[in-house]
């Protein structure tokens, strides 16, 4: 089952934001996330807000698109005429490319017409390699998409089987080549390490595949066993064993060494890019910028206000059909909340965290972290070392005391 959001406080039915939040938007970057919750099957490790056709009987992708268009109208009213243009768009899921290419292009067109799109906007969609072909990718590129993130995960058959992924091992590389031929400016591969039964040789095979792919971005995440998933049930029953922390650390270090050797640089703990290939949309998340999340279960952050939509597509669409905001709840973050979030997020970036964000006591702890080789001071910023990246969450806890 999908993970659950925090309880929060009631969100206004008209979607209104505090005046101060609206005032903060002026002159700042604004992003848009669109959630497409459809998947043909649910992978055993996945706890995202996704639904298979059998779980959404009676609701079509067309119903989803109509609801998102209604939320775009809501955003246009709430944000007002002084809003900045959208600088980055990210369509995620789920499997966005389960929809026809024309549907995704139509969503982008509606966003451009309602909220405005910057001339140099980065427009990304996630994709399952099996759900695209050359003609599909050419239609997306012609419709304004500039970046694609392909969920390859692994090239090893038994690892893909453990993850319950349905694509063939070489399809991710083939899709990457098609995307480049279609004219995409940036192509990313998503990889997962640490699946049960995955050897170091298996992981190296997936890394080797990157060398043969025309990509300028790689995301590599350690598999997390989320409660409520089929994978978690298998682990609890003792049917499969997860690797220990030392094995995961070894694979992370393998990733760093290999990708750096190919000309990539780590710019966020789990993300590497060739120069210019960084994902601007995700950088905005980590830097605490503003974005509106459209679609069931989507989260937004605008001027220090976080709100999240109703998770089930039917209840999401029903609220909008009644002229109400689909937001389930929200949080209005105070200055200390926002400061702590900066520490948690910005320390993950290669550019590091400004020391001015820390209190005097936290700066004292930062000196200790530096003395232990977990971070270095670069000018007025605290930057994690490679060893510190392996222990990033622990470093944050140390700083906050």
């Amino acid at each position: 089952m999908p993970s659950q959001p925090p309880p929060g406080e009631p969100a206004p039915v008209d979607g209104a934001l505090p005046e101060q939040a609206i005032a903060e938007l002026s002159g700042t970057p604004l992003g848009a996330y669109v959630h497409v919750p459809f998947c043909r099957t649910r992978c055993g490790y996945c706890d995202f807000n996704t639904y298979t056709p059998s779980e959404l009987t009676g609701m079509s992708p067309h119903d989803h698109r109509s609801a998102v268009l209604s939320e775009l109208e809501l955003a246009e009213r709430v944000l007002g005429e002084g809003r900045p243009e959208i600088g980055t768009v990210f369509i995620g899921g789920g499997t966005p490319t389960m929809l026809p290419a024309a549907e995704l292009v139509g969503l982008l067109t509606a966003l451009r017409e309602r909220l405005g799109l910057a001339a140099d906007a980065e427009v990304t969609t996630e994709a399952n390699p099996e759900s695209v072909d050359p003609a599909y990718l050419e239609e997306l590129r012609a419709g304004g998409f500039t970046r694609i993130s392909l969920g390859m995960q692994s090239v090893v058959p038994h690892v893909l089987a453990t993850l319950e992924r349905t694509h063939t091992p070489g399809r991710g590389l083939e899709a990457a080549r098609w995307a480049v031929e279609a004219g995409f400016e940036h192509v990313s591969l998503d990889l997962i390490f640490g699946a049960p039964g995955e050897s170091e040789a298996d992981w190296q095979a997936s890394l080797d595949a990157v060398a043969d792919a025309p990509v300028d971005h790689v995301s590599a995440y350690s598999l997390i066993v989320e409660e409520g998933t089929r994978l978690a049930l298998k682990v609890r029953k003792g049917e499969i064993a997860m690797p220990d922390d030392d094995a995961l650390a070894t694979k992370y270090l393998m990733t760093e060494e290999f990708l750096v050797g190919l000309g990539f640089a780590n710019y966020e703990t789990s993300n590497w890019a060739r120069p210019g290939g960084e994902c601007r949309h995700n950088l905005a998340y980590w830097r605490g910028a503003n974005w509106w999340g459209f679609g069931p279960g989507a989260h937004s952050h605008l001027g220090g206000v976080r709100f999240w939509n109703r998770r089930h597509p039917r209840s999401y669409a029903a609220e909008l059909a009644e002229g109400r905001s689909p937001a389930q709840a929200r949080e209005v973050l105070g200055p200390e909340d926002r400061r702590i979030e900066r520490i948690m997020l910005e320390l993950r970036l290669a550019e590091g965290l400004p020391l001015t964000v820390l209190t005097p006591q936290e700066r004292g702890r930062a000196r200790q972290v530096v003395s232990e080789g977990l971070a270095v001071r670069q000018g007025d910023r605290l930057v994690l070392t490679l060893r510190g990246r392996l222990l990033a969450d622990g470093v944050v806890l140390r700083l906050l005391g």
Side-chain angles (χ1 to χ4, degrees):
M1 294 295 292
S3 58
Q4 297 301 310
E9 63 183 50
V13 294
D14 63 355
L17 292 168
E19 289 185 8
Q20 180 57 38
I22 294 293
E24 271 196 46
L25 301 183
S26 178
T28 62
L30 181 62
Y33 172 80
V34 182
H35 187 67
V36 178
F38 309 114
C39 280
R40 286 195 172 88
T41 61
R42 186 185 303 282
C43 300
Y45 64 90
C46 178
D47 76 332
F48 295 161
N49 188 42
T50 63
Y51 303 85
T52 63
S54 64
E55 295 169 330
L56 286 178
T57 303
M59 183 172 188
S60 71
H62 176 76
D63 298 326
H64 167 267
R65 181 174 182 269
S66 296
V68 170
L69 295 181
S70 294
E71 191 179 0
L72 281 169
E73 294 176 12
L74 172 70
E76 183 180 23
R77 293 195 302 271
V78 170
L79 298 178
E81 294 183 358
R83 63 185 178 273
E85 289 184 313
I86 302 295
T88 64
V89 179
F90 196 104
I91 300 184
T95 308
T97 46
M98 270 190 66
L99 301 181
E103 286 282 325
L104 295 184
V105 172
L107 287 172
L108 179 60
T109 299
L111 194 151
R112 180 187 291 110
E113 292 173 349
R114 287 288 179 184
L115 300 179
L117 198 63
D120 65 344
E122 173 193 85
V123 182
T124 305
T125 186
E126 293 180 331
N128 184 319
E130 293 288 350
S131 64
V132 298
D133 59 25
Y136 188 103
L137 294 170
E138 288 168 7
E139 189 170 354
L140 286 185
R141 183 67 189 98
F145 285 80
T146 66
R147 189 175 179 278
I148 191 164
S149 182
L150 296 161
M152 187 170 78
Q153 317 311 356
S154 175
V155 298
V156 180
H158 78 85
V159 174
L160 289 172
T162 298
L163 296 174
E164 300 183 33
R165 298 290 294 184
T166 58
H167 63 268
T168 54
R171 183 62 178 238
L173 304 181
E174 194 172 31
R177 288 191 288 272
W178 291 339
V180 170
E181 290 167 1
F184 276 82
E185 296 172 15
H186 303 289
V187 180
S188 176
L189 293 178
D190 288 352
L191 302 175
I192 291 178
F193 63 88
E198 179 190 64
S199 67
E200 289 182 16
D202 291 334
W203 179 238
Q204 186 60 55
S206 292
L207 292 175
D208 288 341
V210 175
D212 296 327
V215 301
D216 62 356
H217 189 281
V218 174
S219 299
Y221 298 100
S222 171
L223 179 64
I224 297 175
V225 180
E226 301 286 1
E227 283 302 316
T229 62
R230 289 195 298 274
L231 178 63
L233 180 61
K234 290 179 180 179
V235 171
R236 190 162 56 247
K237 288 182 175 180
E239 297 176 6
I240 56 176
M242 294 298 296
D244 60 27
D245 289 343
D246 287 342
L248 296 176
T250 295
K251 289 177 181 176
Y252 184 89
L253 294 173
M254 290 169 61
T255 306
E256 168 74 5
E257 180 179 6
F258 187 83
L259 292 179
V260 168
L262 292 179
F264 291 76
N266 180 267
Y267 72 97
E268 189 276 339
T269 304
S270 299
N271 289 272
W272 290 258
R274 299 186 193 274
E278 299 84 358
C279 179
R280 287 162 46 197
H281 186 85
N282 286 341
L283 276 171
Y285 289 157
W286 295 313
R287 291 170 177 161
N290 300 303
W291 76 93
W292 190 302
F294 299 90
H299 286 234
S300 303
H301 172 258
L302 294 162
V305 180
R306 294 194 182 280
F307 55 96
W308 45 94
N309 288 343
R310 297 177 185 276
R311 297 177 64 77
H312 198 282
R314 285 199 190 92
S315 60
Y316 164 78
E319 291 298 302
L320 286 160
E322 294 296 326
R324 296 188 293 264
S325 165
Q328 177 180 324
R330 76 177 190 180
E331 294 177 312
V332 179
L333 305 175
E336 181 63 6
D337 297 321
R338 300 177 77 175
R339 190 187 72 85
I340 291 173
E341 281 204 352
R342 288 194 66 184
I343 296 171
M344 295 171 62
L345 295 174
E346 291 182 37
L347 197 60
R348 297 180 62 87
L349 295 172
E351 64 198 38
L353 173 76
L355 287 164
T356 53
V357 176
L358 302 176
T359 66
Q361 294 87 349
E362 290 163 354
R363 288 177 205 164
R365 298 180 196 126
R367 287 191 288 272
Q368 182 63 31
V369 166
V370 169
S371 72
E372 294 175 14
L374 298 173
V376 294
R377 180 169 178 170
Q378 294 182 359
D380 63 350
R381 306 181 82 88
L382 186 69
V383 178
L384 292 178
T385 61
L386 178 56
R387 180 165 167 258
R389 279 155 47 192
L390 290 168
L391 303 168
D393 292 342
V395 173
V396 169
L397 292 174
R398 288 273 303 277
L399 289 176
L400 295 176

